[in-house]
Amino acid sequence: MENYVLSCCSTADLTKEHFDGRKIRYICFHYSLGEKEYPDDLGQTIPFDEFYKRMEEGEMTRTSQVNVEEFVEYFTPFLKAGQDIVHVCLSSGISGVFNSATAAAGLLREKYPERKIYIVDSLGASSGYGLLMDKLADLRDGGMSAADLYCWAEDHKLNLHHWFFSTDLKYYVRGGRISKASGFIGNLLKICPLLNMNDLGRLIPRMKLRGKKKVIEEIVNKMEENAKDGVHYSGKCYISNSACYEDARAVADLVEARFPELNGKVEIYSVGTTIGSHTGPGTVALFFWGKKRTR
């Protein structure tokens, strides 16, 4: 089997155990909670329940991506060991990390001309990005070369669907994504926006639904509409949530009932501290394979 490293950023929002078990390496983003900076290390330093509790109590968050120097330091040991690299980044539609990884790869190709470094813009986020990584690990374990894996990722990454809803708009107000007036009225009327990620890897509002029950039903309707083979979908399905497990479980129950041919049960993960710094508590995201995403 070809000797190469499959790698991503911690913003793929799976567990450390999942990444370790699939032999997927990762580099950590950074975030600040209050006045202190931490690595986005999959909840190892600060557990997710504590992180979201402190957000609810009013502590401010900020995030920072991995810079060029950090990527150089991270990639170098693999190259020194004679390994090629396939690294998949958080969507360029919401972060500049793809540019940092690409710049680092350019510098290192000059120093290690015999090695191959492939950088993929996932155009995805959270555990949807993680679902892409899980599939790439399957293909690697099946014997696919690094070059072919890179091409497969580029050809299929837009088949990975990302649908999100939020039941608390105050963090969207805090981040400047909606006005204070819209946030106040939305929360008063229990409006839950339904968003997805488009072909540029950007989050796009698609619907405004009144009430949690309606948005839970609609997000599963969107899966039926877009999933490969509709209700006969036989791939994996991941969900991530930010301190609202019961809502995520309600979506998972509906998915498992409507799609009886799923590859295993729906897997539920936590929205990590980088993505969660912007969404706040109350977000559920649903991920599955389907037809190509569009604008």
Side-chain angles (χ1 to χ4, degrees), residues 54-223:
R54 289 171 65 177
M55 280 191 78
E56 286 189 325
E57 291 172 348
E59 289 196 55
M60 299 300 292
T61 56
R62 297 181 304 279
T63 61
S64 58
Q65 66 189 38
V66 184
N67 62 36
V68 176
E69 292 74 19
E70 288 172 309
F71 271 118
V72 168
E73 183 179 355
Y74 170 69
F75 288 150
T76 295
F78 304 137
L79 302 172
K80 280 186 175 180
Q83 295 176 296
D84 295 334
I85 299 169
V86 178
H87 181 81
V88 186
C89 292
L90 177 67
S91 173
S92 62
I94 57 175
S95 170
V97 71
F98 175 71
N99 294 332
S100 296
T102 299
L107 294 172
L108 289 167
R109 288 188 187 106
E110 296 180 5
K111 189 172 182 180
Y112 300 92
E114 73 284 4
R115 298 268 58 86
K116 301 294 185 183
I117 309 171
Y118 302 95
I119 308 297
V120 178
D121 179 357
S122 71
L123 298 177
S126 196
S127 304
Y129 169 20
L131 183 53
L132 173 61
M133 296 309 301
D134 190 74
K135 178 62 177 179
L136 295 178
D138 287 341
L139 296 171
R140 175 206 60 197
D141 294 348
M144 186 174 283
S145 69
D148 287 345
L149 193 71
Y150 167 77
C151 291
W152 192 96
E154 290 292 345
D155 289 343
H156 293 87
K157 61 191 181 184
L158 288 179
N159 291 107
L160 204 293
H161 281 253
H162 302 58
W163 287 89
F164 302 75
F165 70 78
S166 180
T167 57
D168 190 342
L169 301 181
K170 68 183 177 185
Y171 300 96
Y172 291 79
V173 173
R174 182 187 293 180
R177 288 183 291 279
I178 62 174
S179 69
K180 289 183 178 179
S182 295
F184 174 78
I185 294 170
N187 280 331
L188 186 67
L189 299 177
K190 300 187 183 301
I191 298 297
C192 299
L194 180 64
L195 310 88
N196 80 333
M197 192 162 265
N198 70 1
D199 61 329
L200 299 178
R202 297 172 180 166
L203 286 176
I204 306 298
R206 299 298 186 185
M207 303 177 72
K208 295 178 181 178
L209 295 144
R210 190 169 180 180
K212 189 185 297 184
K213 183 178 179 181
K214 285 186 179 179
V215 78
I216 287 173
E217 290 174 349
E218 187 58 34
I219 200 171
V220 179
N221 290 340
K222 291 299 182 185
M223 180 172 174

Side-chain angles (χ1 to χ4, degrees), residues 12-15 17-19 22 126-128 130-131 134-135 138 223 233 235-241 245 248-249 251-253 255-256 262-271 284-288:
D13 287 354
L14 300 182
T15 63
E17 292 74 22
H18 191 123
F19 284 131
R22 298 308 317 267
S126 196
S127 304
L131 183 53
D134 190 74
K135 178 62 177 179
D138 287 341
M223 180 172 174
Y233 176 68
K236 290 184 178 180
C237 178
Y238 286 0
I239 289 175
S240 59
N241 78 101
Y245 179 83
R249 185 67 256 170
V251 174
D253 289 344
V255 169
E256 288 170 2
L262 279 177
N263 181 359
K265 295 289 187 181
V266 175
E267 297 182 31
I268 301 177
Y269 297 95
S270 289
V271 174
V284 174
L286 175 65
F287 310 105
F288 54 89

